[in-house]
Amino acid sequence: MITTREEKSPMVSRRDWLGAGVALAAVGWGANQFSPLIVLYQQRLGLSTATVDAMFGLYALGLVPALVAGGRLSDRFGRRPVMLPALALSLLASCLLMAGDVGWLFAGRFLAGVASGAAFGTGAAWVRELSAAAGVAAAGPRRSTIAMTAGFAAGPFVAGVVAQWFPAPTVTAYLPHLVLVAAAVPAAWRTPEQLRAAPAPVAEAAAPQRLTRHFLVVLLPFAPWVFGSASIALAYLPTLVATHVDRPLLFTAITTGAGAVAGIAAVPLGNALRRLRSDRILPVAMVPVLIGIAGAAAAAWALSPAAVLVTSLVLGFAYGVTQFCGLADIQQAADPRSLGTATAVYQTFTYLGFAVPFLLAVAHERLRLAPPTLLLVLLAVAALATGWLVLTGRARR
């Protein structure tokens, strides 16, 4: 018997998605644990802001091709055969980061991106399939968003706390991730693999040409703001006020961790937005992005640690809303038979946002524009993207 998307399979329980979720969280932890250590590397290695932001953004360079390849491979060979090597790569990336010099840091960040690329599209599709097989397909986007964001939240917080108070901080900060990966591997190994959603009716699944147009016209202007928002809070704002706090590592850990927790708190709002007409969901999801970038400009002007903390919460909230709404959108539009590939392509677009801190730092050095001015320019670009989504939504009615 073929299992449909809303039909519960007796072979899959409502808890079976947790194995895939733990694997997603482990890779998400590894992706973000580097963030609070940026200030430390600047101080110890004498690196410029542009260099550390390039190191932060190199993650996306490894992630983008791995997302597409991982999604296609998991559609063909299954989710587990892709997720387990991704966990191994995430562990290896942490080992390279523990080496500590500039070359190994660049290599570790790149490899962390490859691991994330292989895991995130695959893991989101796996969680969606397991949720559908357990009769709760609508929970898929929420569960995958929470799993990834939990890793994004805990990774930088724990790494920052360990680096602040433990000896050899550039080594010990990465040890908790190694422990988590060691636990995630058997969890993923035991997770059911066999069930896939049945092909959706022709009226539900987008034709390839229509899906391609949807990607280019709707998701490409929207998706980069998912991690564009998050990366401002993770890698840009904390460095601006590092000299204004007594414990910069702890402060960065708190701001990045709190922002990611706000991303989890935003998921219920994202779920509520699904009640809106489909053409209105993504423009409304952009509203927290606009508020967050405006707050970032104000915080950069005031150089206030308190303002940076509050803004990080707003930007984290914006990340959570946009991540959930984008995943829900693509999982509704894509044919279930190519769900891993479609999710991977969407997430490729989201990770373009990781270039934002680097672009801001380069613009500051080359154009001599102050950070508040640069953030206001970015706000204008985000407003244009929102306006475009409104117009395209009206055209699709």
Side-chain angles (χ1 to χ4, degrees):
M1 173 175 150
I2 295 175
T3 301
T4 63
R5 287 181 296 170
E6 298 295 338
E7 182 179 304
K8 183 176 179 180
S9 165
M11 300 176 65
V12 175
S13 75
R14 288 178 177 263
R15 293 184 178 182
D16 280 338
W17 74 274
L18 289 171
V22 168
L24 272 174
V27 178
W29 181 305
N32 246 15
Q33 63 184 336
F34 177 83
S35 301
L37 303 179
I38 288 176
V39 174
L40 180 63
Y41 289 127
Q42 277 186 298
Q43 295 172 347
R44 291 197 172 188
L45 302 177
L47 304 178
S48 68
T49 300
T51 298
V52 293
D53 285 340
M55 198 178 289
F56 180 82
L58 186 65
Y59 165 88
L61 186 62
L63 179 142
V64 168
L67 264 172
V68 177
R72 289 179 177 175
L73 289 172
S74 72
D75 281 338
R76 182 173 180 180
F77 299 108
R79 310 308 182 195
R80 190 189 301 115
V82 175
M83 183 61 78
L84 291 176
L87 287 167
L89 288 176
S90 184
L91 185 145
L92 179 58
S94 286
C95 293
L96 294 179
L97 291 171
M98 290 166 66
D101 63 30
V102 175
W104 290 118
L105 291 175
F106 273 104
R109 284 298 291 166
F110 178 80
L111 198 59
V114 174
S116 298
F120 290 159
T122 298
W126 199 1
V127 169
R128 167 67 170 78
E129 290 163 356
L130 291 169
S131 299
V136 285
R142 172 175 56 84
R143 288 172 169 178
S144 55
T145 298
I146 289 174
M148 283 189 285
T149 308
F152 291 155
F157 179 75
V158 173
V161 169
V162 171
Q164 184 68 67
W165 280 303
F166 280 64
T170 57
V171 174
T172 54
Y174 299 107
L175 294 179
H177 178 241
L178 305 185
V179 175
L180 179 59
V181 171
V185 168
W189 183 268
R190 293 191 298 266
T191 300
E193 165 71 46
Q194 76 285 353
L195 285 169
R196 301 289 174 83
V202 174
E204 288 186 27
Q209 297 85 351
R210 185 156 56 90
L211 183 59
T212 299
R213 184 179 183 278
H214 186 71
F215 267 118
L216 296 177
V217 175
V218 178
L219 291 179
L220 183 57
F222 171 81
W225 300 104
V226 175
F227 284 106
S229 301
S231 64
I232 294 171
L234 288 170
Y236 190 70
L237 288 180
T239 62
L240 297 180
V241 297
T243 58
H244 297 259
V245 293
D246 293 332
R247 297 181 182 275
L249 288 174
L250 181 60
F251 174 77
T252 305
I254 291 172
T255 56
T256 55
V261 169
I264 297 175
V267 170
L269 175 60
N271 199 36
L273 291 181
R274 299 177 74 177
R275 300 170 189 168
L276 298 175
R277 209 167 54 217
S278 60
D279 60 284
R280 293 182 177 177
I281 294 174
L282 298 187
V284 173
M286 285 292 293
V287 173
V289 175
L290 299 174
I291 296 172
I293 297 176
W301 177 78
L303 290 178
S304 163
V308 168
L309 177 58
V310 172
T311 301
S312 295
L313 290 170
V314 177
L315 289 168
F317 190 87
Y319 154 78
V321 171
T322 51
Q323 176 74 294
F324 178 91
C325 291
L327 281 173
D329 181 271
I330 193 57
Q331 291 183 2
Q332 177 65 32
D335 188 321
R337 292 168 296 185
S338 58
L339 182 60
T341 301
T343 304
V345 172
Y346 164 72
Q347 290 190 320
T348 297
F349 289 170
T350 69
Y351 276 94
L352 296 175
F354 266 102
V356 168
F358 175 68
L359 295 175
L360 291 173
V362 170
H364 174 66
E365 290 185 0
R366 299 287 177 84
L367 303 178
R368 302 299 178 186
L369 294 177
T373 303
L374 292 169
L375 287 164
L376 289 175
V377 172
L378 187 67
L379 176 62
V381 176
L384 289 173
T386 304
W388 173 261
L389 290 170
V390 172
L391 291 175
T392 56
R394 289 176 179 173
R396 287 184 287 125
R397 286 181 192 174

